[in-house]
């Protein structure tokens, strides 16, 4: 297969200001010769991260970006594996540690301002430099989650971790889905230790240089880290204004080491003052999905925290109408992560509207499931995965909604390689079906449907006493009344799923 058939060209990315594509001498907007390893679940990612950081020494470079960071999160369960201690110890060994963490909204709004500040304090006290970054659209966030490790004298150890897993509470779970002992506050339906399904990628090879470039563009942005005078005063009183020292010169990209071509996809909203590297924002995540879904013929497999918005729905619906054999399988959370009177309905109303749109576009060819653990507790699906026709797969921080496609900062890695895409889909299917075998793409739709029906029948008491294998069942879709829909839908559009495009693109309905 030719990756050019799936990947965006530099012009299709729609952001000539970035050096992400210009840095490639061959004129491509992706790199060849990488080795990409999926790390399914936080426990696998955290173990790999601890091992890689522990081997770093003086003169090495560690760059990380996060939406939320809890300094006391135990990455491997042992007390000496806390996030803050791991990064601070690296800085004390002489590793050049730099971090960009979203400043966050107030904790009273269920965000993470305090946790993110404390993570930076630990690192800065040890000689690293971690800053709180609020250079986003009003109401937006830096949602990217990645780590880059560079070793000037040992380039064979260079690696970038890219995906949807934050360095924080509730993420350290595994395939047993017993949950992270260090939980974050969630809806009661998820229990005292919310089970969590997620994925990160370990990327080795030339693409590491691309991920590093994403960090450097943000680090070198000269705009003030916050536009709020109140925050300036608070930072000054806490002596919390690190200088943002220049980064060392970027090393040559690591040598090719595998078969995978990798393209990085991003979102940046159109913010006040503009990003120097994206003056009108960037929407290559959305553009890449439009191109890939335009080629879909057999199966679109999705795992996502959200499945919202007219833009997402129209692309999927168009693909279903164009390709009569195409099927869509989505794995989503049974319930939103918060169950407040105001926070819950917009999630459910927006999701229900989109699913109705898909079922109408492809009757009998769309199936949506939620996951539960062997004890029957719903698993919160935080993964952001899409596999199309076993040829193209994306894993990253972006969700299937307008916020992730136009408004907040996001980073994903797409791999157009049939062996990789097929193996990723099969890996995830084995877990959800409690199966040891590989599932052919032609079998996927029916196998998920049969497994989900069997588990639901058992739960309804219409099957035998023994719980059947498998962890998926039809998605819980609590009905929302007409009055609820009247207020929840406008709130969803304005607050939960805002539009970050320039006005002219909104009017043209273009990405």
């Amino acid at each position: 297969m030719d990756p050019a058939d799936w990947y965006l060209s530099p012009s299709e990315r729609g952001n000539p200001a970035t050096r992400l594509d210009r840095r490639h001498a061959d004129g491509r907007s992706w790199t060849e010769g990488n080795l990409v390893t999926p790390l399914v679940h936080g426990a696998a990612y955290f173990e790999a991260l601890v091992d890689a950081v522990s081997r770093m020494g003086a003169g090495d470079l560690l760059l990380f970006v996060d939406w939320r960071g809890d300094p006391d999160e135990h990455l491997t369960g042992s007390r000496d594996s806390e996030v803050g201690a791991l990064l601070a110890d690296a800085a004390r060994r002489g590793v050049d540690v730099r971090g960009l963490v979203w400043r966050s909204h107030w904790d009273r709004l269920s965000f993470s301002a305090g946790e993110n500040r404390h993570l930076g304090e630990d690192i800065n006290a040890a000689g690293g430099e971690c800053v709180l970054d609020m250079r986003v659209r009003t109401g937006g966030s830096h949602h990217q989650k990645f780590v880059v490790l560079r070793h000037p004298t040992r380039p064979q150890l260079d690696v970038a971790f890219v995906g949807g897993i934050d360095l924080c509470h509730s993420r350290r779970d595994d395939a047993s889905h017993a949950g992270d002992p260090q939980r974050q506050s969630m809806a009661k339906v998820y229990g005292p230790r919310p089970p969590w399904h997620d994925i990160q990628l370990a990327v080795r090879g030339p693409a590491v240089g691309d991920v590093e470039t994403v960090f450097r563009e943000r680090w070198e942005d000269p705009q003030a880290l916050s536009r709020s005078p109140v925050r300036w005063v608070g930072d000054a009183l806490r002596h919390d204004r690190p200088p943002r020292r220049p980064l060392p010169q970027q090393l040559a990209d690591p040598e090719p080491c595998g078969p995978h071509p990798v393209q990085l996809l991003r979102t940046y909203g159109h913010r006040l003052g503009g990003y120097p590297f994206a003056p009108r924002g960037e929407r290559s995540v959305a553009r890449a999905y439009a191109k890939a879904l335009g080629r879909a013929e057999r199966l679109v497999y999705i795992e996502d925290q959200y499945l919202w918005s007219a833009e997402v729905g129209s692309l999927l619906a168009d693909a279903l109408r164009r390709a009569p054999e195409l099927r869509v399988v989505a794995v989503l959370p049974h319930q939103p992560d918060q169950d407040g009177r105001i926070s819950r309905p917009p999630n459910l109303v927006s999701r229900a509207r989109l699913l109705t749109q898909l079922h109408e576009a492809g009757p009998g060819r769309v199936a949506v499931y939620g996951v539960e653990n062997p004890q029957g507790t719903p698993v919160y699906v935080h993964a952001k995965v899409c596999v199309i026709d076993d040829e193209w797969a994306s894993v990253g921080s972006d969700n299937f909604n307008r916020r992730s496609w136009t408004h907040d900062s996001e980073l994903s890695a797409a791999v157009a390689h049939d062996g990789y895409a097929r193996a990723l889909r099969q890996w995830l299917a084995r877990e959800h079906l409690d199966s040891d075998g590989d599932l052919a793409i032609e079998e996927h739709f029916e196998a998920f449907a049969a497994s989900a029906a069997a588990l639901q029948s058992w739960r309804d008491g219409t099957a035998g006493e023994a719980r059947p294998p498998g962890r998926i069942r039809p998605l819980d879709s609590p009905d929302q009344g007409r009055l609820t829909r009247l207020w929840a839908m406008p709130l969803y559009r304005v607050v939960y799923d805002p539009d970050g495009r320039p006005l002219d693109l909104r009017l043209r309905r273009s990405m």
Side-chain angles (χ1 to χ4, degrees):
M1 59 182 292
D2 185 353
D5 292 338
W6 292 90
Y7 287 155
L8 299 176
S9 67
S11 62
E12 289 173 325
R13 183 185 294 275
N15 179 19
T18 181
R19 63 177 184 264
L20 186 58
D21 296 334
R22 295 198 308 270
R23 65 188 304 273
H24 299 141
D26 56 11
R28 291 174 175 167
S29 55
W30 67 89
T31 60
E32 303 274 358
N34 304 285
L35 180 63
V36 183
T37 305
L39 302 172
V40 182
H41 304 307
Y45 166 42
F46 288 169
E47 183 177 358
L49 180 64
V50 169
D51 179 67
V53 174
S54 297
R55 288 187 286 170
M56 301 187 81
D60 293 339
L61 179 64
L62 188 160
L63 311 172
F64 77 97
V65 164
D66 215 352
W67 176 81
R68 172 173 176 149
D70 287 314
D72 63 339
E73 170 68 12
H74 299 157
L75 294 174
T76 64
S78 61
R79 296 197 62 84
D80 60 354
S81 70
E82 292 182 346
V83 171
L86 178 74
L87 299 177
D89 287 347
R92 281 188 283 268
R93 293 196 306 272
V95 179
D96 189 351
V97 178
R98 310 291 184 98
L100 289 166
V101 180
W102 179 47
R103 180 179 280 272
S104 183
H105 306 310
W106 292 339
D107 287 334
R108 70 186 67 178
L109 299 176
S110 299
F111 286 99
S112 50
E115 293 83 356
N116 291 356
R117 179 178 297 110
H118 295 322
L119 176 61
E121 290 170 349
D122 290 351
I123 295 169
N124 295 338
E129 191 172 358
C130 180
V131 299
L132 299 175
D133 190 355
M134 200 61 175
R135 295 170 294 181
V136 294
R137 283 180 63 90
T138 300
S141 75
H142 280 304
H143 198 241
Q144 297 171 339
K145 311 140 195 307
F146 65 87
V147 182
V148 181
L149 310 181
R150 301 300 307 266
H151 310 75
T153 62
R154 299 171 296 164
Q156 70 277 9
L157 298 180
D158 289 351
V159 62
F161 298 99
V162 178
I165 303 180
D166 299 283
L167 303 175
C168 71
H169 296 164
S170 275
R171 273 52 170 182
R172 184 168 56 86
D173 201 355
D174 56 28
S176 69
H177 287 310
D180 187 337
Q182 294 173 275
R183 62 159 291 168
Q184 71 177 60
S185 178
M186 292 186 67
K188 293 179 182 178
V189 69
Y190 291 104
R193 283 176 58 169
W196 196 277
H197 179 72
D198 222 331
I199 185 168
Q200 196 87 351
L201 301 177
V203 180
R204 295 176 172 83
V208 172
D210 281 354
V211 183
E212 181 179 350
T213 299
V214 175
F215 182 94
R216 286 176 175 270
E217 285 189 333
R218 277 187 55 188
W219 185 269
E220 294 163 4
D221 180 353
Q223 190 173 105
L225 292 168
S226 172
R227 295 190 295 270
S228 169
V230 174
R231 289 195 173 103
W232 298 344
V233 173
D235 289 347
L237 292 174
R238 286 188 299 267
H239 304 288
D240 185 20
R241 300 185 70 174
R244 256 194 303 159
R245 295 172 286 114
L247 291 165
Q249 184 175 355
Q250 184 164 353
L251 300 172
D253 290 350
E255 291 294 320
C257 62
H260 301 138
V262 174
Q263 179 168 65
L264 296 188
L265 306 170
R266 306 184 301 183
T267 300
Y268 290 108
H270 182 219
R271 75 174 193 198
L272 182 66
Y275 295 97
F277 51 87
R280 287 172 55 81
E282 181 176 317
R283 291 157 295 280
S284 55
V285 166
R287 289 173 173 225
Y289 275 121
K291 184 169 185 175
L293 288 170
R295 295 180 55 84
E297 297 288 345
R298 296 183 293 168
L299 178 69
V300 176
Y301 178 71
I302 295 168
E303 293 188 0
D304 208 82
Q305 182 182 9
Y306 307 117
L307 191 56
W308 293 350
S309 94
E311 289 79 6
V312 173
S314 63
L315 284 180
L316 288 166
D318 287 348
L320 286 163
R321 285 188 285 263
R322 175 188 52 78
E325 301 301 317
L326 179 65
R327 294 179 171 184
V328 174
V329 174
V331 177
L332 309 174
H334 274 297
Q335 298 287 342
D337 60 336
Q338 301 297 323
D339 51 10
R341 293 182 181 179
I342 302 300
S343 61
R344 186 170 181 263
N347 286 259
L348 296 175
V349 167
S350 56
R351 186 174 75 181
R353 185 187 65 169
L354 184 144
L355 294 181
T356 298
Q357 179 184 4
L358 296 186
H359 286 301
E360 291 175 350
R365 294 186 286 133
V366 177
V368 187
Y369 305 103
V371 184
E372 63 181 42
N373 67 13
Q375 292 72 44
T377 304
V379 174
Y380 190 69
V381 178
H382 190 261
K384 299 94 166 59
V385 181
C386 183
V387 182
I388 298 179
D389 287 354
D390 278 1
E391 295 190 29
W392 180 94
S394 174
V395 174
S397 67
D398 59 282
N399 293 297
F400 269 84
N401 60 10
R402 189 171 61 186
R403 176 181 283 275
S404 281
W405 284 17
T406 70
H407 196 277
D408 294 355
S409 70
E410 307 285 2
L411 178 68
S412 291
V415 179
H417 183 275
D418 54 0
Y420 168 88
R422 181 174 61 254
L424 176 59
R425 179 188 57 79
Q426 290 174 339
W427 186 342
L428 296 168
R430 284 194 295 270
E431 177 182 319
H432 298 322
L433 301 180
D434 282 328
S435 170
D436 294 329
D438 289 337
L439 191 65
I441 191 171
E442 297 81 9
E443 304 169 322
H444 191 110
F445 192 89
E446 288 78 9
F448 268 52
S451 181
L455 181 56
Q456 189 64 54
S457 294
W458 178 80
R459 286 176 59 92
D460 293 341
T462 59
E465 293 185 4
R467 179 188 172 104
R471 307 182 186 188
I472 57 169
R473 58 181 179 82
L475 188 72
D476 290 340
S477 298
D479 184 49
Q480 304 298 298
R482 182 172 179 272
L483 289 178
T484 298
R485 293 196 299 271
L486 284 176
W487 68 259
M489 187 55 71
L491 185 62
Y492 149 74
R493 290 194 182 104
V494 175
V495 176
Y496 287 86
D497 203 22
D499 194 331
R501 291 173 291 181
L503 180 60
D504 61 320
L505 295 184
R506 294 191 207 185
L507 294 175
R508 298 202 306 266
R509 297 183 179 181
S510 172
M511 289 294 175

